[in-house]
Amino acid sequence: MNKKTAEKIFEKYNRQDDVVRCPYGRAGTRKLLNTYAKAAVQLYGAISREDFVKIFNDQNTEQTTSQELYVLLLPLVLKDGWYGFYKDHLVHYWFFDDFEQVERLLEHQAGKSRYVPEKNEFLEYEKGDLTDNDHWWDVYRFMQETFGYSMNTTNGFYEVKDYFTYGNGISELGPILDRYDLVFSREDQFHAFINMLMTAKNNTRTWLNKGWTPEEMQQQIRPRDNTAMEFEVVKKQKVGRNDPCPCGSGKKYKKCCAKSDNLKTAHLSREEGIEFYKIWYGLMHFVNERKHVIQATIKPDFPNTTPEEQIYKVREILWENPELIDEYIAETELSKERIEILSAWRNKHIKGMFFILEYQPDFAVAIGANENGEDQLYGIKGITHSIAFAFDQKLPLQIETVLLPFKGKLIYDSFIETSSMGFGDGAKAAFQEMYKKALESGIITDLE
């Protein structure tokens, strides 16, 4: 939403012409309503006037109405700008630049109960800090000990804290750390950091949950939700047809995943796999000839005898300079189908960090950021083997790769880097919540 549109929307629902003098005897009520309004938008982000009036009236002998709320608070909206009116809601000033974000927040809040603390606790939120647990200070101290006592560490902490408190996911964590040059020297440090972050987030009151913490929401859902995703372990092992299925369903293997394993639907067909590698190695050959990355010659054909660690170096140069695909298409005689495939790789590839959350019969389900920086689920097929077959690590599994469209399917560019890092219960619970929210938008199985 552009600035001019946002200003028009604000003026529409907060009209200067509607301002009147405070009615006689209501100055004290306006002062208290102002405190409640600041606390409410801090705790919920947005709240309907009807819900707000109910909370106020339930906690005070002094009573008000939705209409009086507008009359008494409008002058303070225009003077202080802490909150504002939007349609029939009170909203936080963060939304003044993009009221479409209010609609998205309300979609996430729909169907959830509202956390309403007692009056004294409720008014504490006027101070503008939703952090009513000590876990965030554990994160801050850890970052200081790991990265040093600097402004970069402090600023990075507050941006991470705001992102995890008000945002919906984990996809921007890497860019935030990069922005402040905060680099972990050991993998176990990152492991500890993620678990501390998830513990802090799980105990932080959030707008998305109408003021409940994720942990409190899980406690509400758990007794009635028998469909919650469990993170299973998938092993590369030989399973007898009458053995329990390794997916954890409780069924015999022959009655469960043997069907999809036999169909080999979680990876490309043999013919598709060969076609992919022919196109891929042709591209690798061109990039290496153009950029002289390695001394070896990469044959533009399948199979290829060049060691994978050498091809990896060429692959890294490609994704640093994806315009090389345009040059390859322009300078090479290719079929129409291969040109279309390569053009899709050029324009629609997604490079980044993902977390594999589960294995389904047709693909591995991973969560990562889409083009808008929002969490999205991706259904990724293997090339010659399923991703489940390729790895025997516990889920969730952190990976870095490049996702590619290929003949109506979603695959990766033949390289996946994994982390041996494990996740604690707090992190797993947060991933489960992220999975459920992202599932509302479906699982992307094709980027074309």
Side-chain angles (χ1 to χ4, degrees), residues 5 37 46 120 123 177 240 263 322 348:
T5 300
N120 289 340
L123 296 181
L177 296 176
L263 291 173
K348 299 182 179 180

Side-chain angles (χ1 to χ4, degrees), residues 69-83:
L69 180 71
Y70 180 73
V71 171
L72 293 181
L73 294 188
L74 179 61
L76 301 178
V77 168
L78 299 175
K79 176 185 176 183
D80 301 330
W82 257 93
Y83 51 83

Side-chain angles (χ1 to χ4, degrees), residues 204-222:
T204 299
R205 306 203 175 280
T206 68
W207 291 356
L208 294 172
N209 291 334
K210 284 188 174 179
W212 296 106
T213 69
E215 178 61 30
E216 290 168 341
M217 286 297 295
Q218 285 296 319
Q219 290 173 2
Q220 292 180 41
I221 294 171
R222 201 169 288 129

